[in-house]
Amino acid sequence: MEKKRVGLEKDLEKADADIAEEKRIAGLVTKKQERQTELKLLEEIFEACRQHLTERIRPTLAAKAGALLAGTTGGRYTQVELDEDYNVKVLDGGEMRLLKRFSGGETDLINLCLRIAISQIVAARGSGRVNLLVLDEVFGSQDSQRKDAILQGLRSLAGEFQQVFVITHDEYLKDRMEGVFSVSRPDGLQSVVAAV
């Protein structure tokens, strides 16, 4: 009988230990679930913050790009609109039209205006003045009149950027820029780096 009692006590101790271990594991699971809920909430807050910021910046970005576009097109295109997915539309003939409606050169120009507008916003929101804007091959699909208009627009950025550099292979632009540097590779390909 004593042997049976000792065996039952051991079984009871093991059952108590198993119950304690299950409670410990259940506690860990509860903590993990609570942490997961907290992280999910944090993710939702960050997403709402991101959406809020992009909603706030979108009109400013569109307005700045529209102003640049108006200047480089002689007023032909004066307004840029960005939808909630940042699809670009441009006012043309009284109607907002998607980029696919425009020629390759016009699309390149619109995208350039957007890139510069982004740089302006980043520069304005930064802790200090941004001194440098570097543009690589932004004139390729433009005719000479449009190239001159773009150069004029880039010169107007002098108040926002101390230095604007353009990298190009376009010989037409050499005489129209200040501080021209030619860079030659061993294979003979030349690039022009110029301060606008």
Side-chain angles (χ1 to χ4, degrees):
M1 186 71 144
E2 182 65 25
K3 203 173 189 184
K4 190 174 182 180
R5 187 184 63 78
V6 170
L8 288 172
E9 284 178 357
K10 283 187 180 180
D11 288 345
L12 187 59
E13 286 174 8
K14 183 174 181 326
D16 286 343
D18 289 345
I19 290 170
E21 180 63 11
E22 285 182 22
K23 284 182 179 178
R24 187 186 73 79
I25 291 171
L28 290 175
V29 167
T30 300
K31 284 182 181 178
K32 293 281 186 188
Q33 287 172 335
E34 288 170 356
R35 180 71 174 148
Q36 187 176 10
T37 301
E38 290 170 353
L39 290 173
K40 181 69 175 163
L41 178 61
L42 190 58
E43 181 183 1
E44 290 170 6
I45 291 169
F46 281 143
E47 178 60 22
C49 183
R50 185 192 68 77
Q51 287 178 350
H52 174 72
L53 289 174
T54 55
E55 286 296 318
R56 282 188 51 207
I57 204 165
R58 197 174 58 200
T60 303
L61 179 59
K64 286 185 173 293
L68 290 164
L69 188 60
T72 55
T73 62
R76 179 175 179 187
Y77 305 119
T78 58
Q79 188 177 347
V80 172
E81 187 178 279
L82 301 168
D83 68 16
E84 59 277 352
D85 294 322
Y86 279 76
N87 294 309
V88 181
K89 293 181 181 177
V90 175
L91 184 64
D92 180 27
E95 187 178 333
M96 296 305 288
R97 299 180 191 269
L98 289 170
L99 279 186
K100 64 183 178 182
R101 180 261 177 246
F102 297 94
S103 71
E106 290 169 326
T107 300
D108 289 347
L109 179 60
I110 294 163
N111 285 323
L112 172 62
C113 291
L114 282 165
R115 289 195 322 253
I116 292 171
I118 291 168
S119 297
Q120 289 174 315
I121 290 169
V122 169
R125 301 226 191 297
S127 58
R129 185 171 179 203
V130 176
N131 294 322
L132 180 66
L133 177 64
V134 179
L135 301 167
D136 187 12
E137 294 299 340
V138 295
F139 295 98
S141 59
Q142 308 300 324
D143 61 28
S144 59
Q145 185 178 2
R146 185 71 52 76
K147 288 176 186 178
D148 289 333
I150 293 170
L151 276 176
Q152 188 59 37
L154 292 175
R155 286 186 181 105
S156 73
L157 299 175
E160 297 175 62
F161 301 96
Q162 287 182 346
Q163 298 172 321
V164 179
F165 285 96
V166 175
I167 301 167
T168 184
H169 299 291
D170 193 332
E171 292 292 321
Y172 173 83
L173 297 167
K174 269 187 176 179
D175 297 333
R176 289 165 173 73
M177 292 193 238
E178 301 171 19
V180 176
F181 305 94
S182 291
V183 179
S184 299
R185 293 187 340 193
D187 62 6
L189 183 65
Q190 286 193 340
S191 295
V192 173
V193 178
V196 176

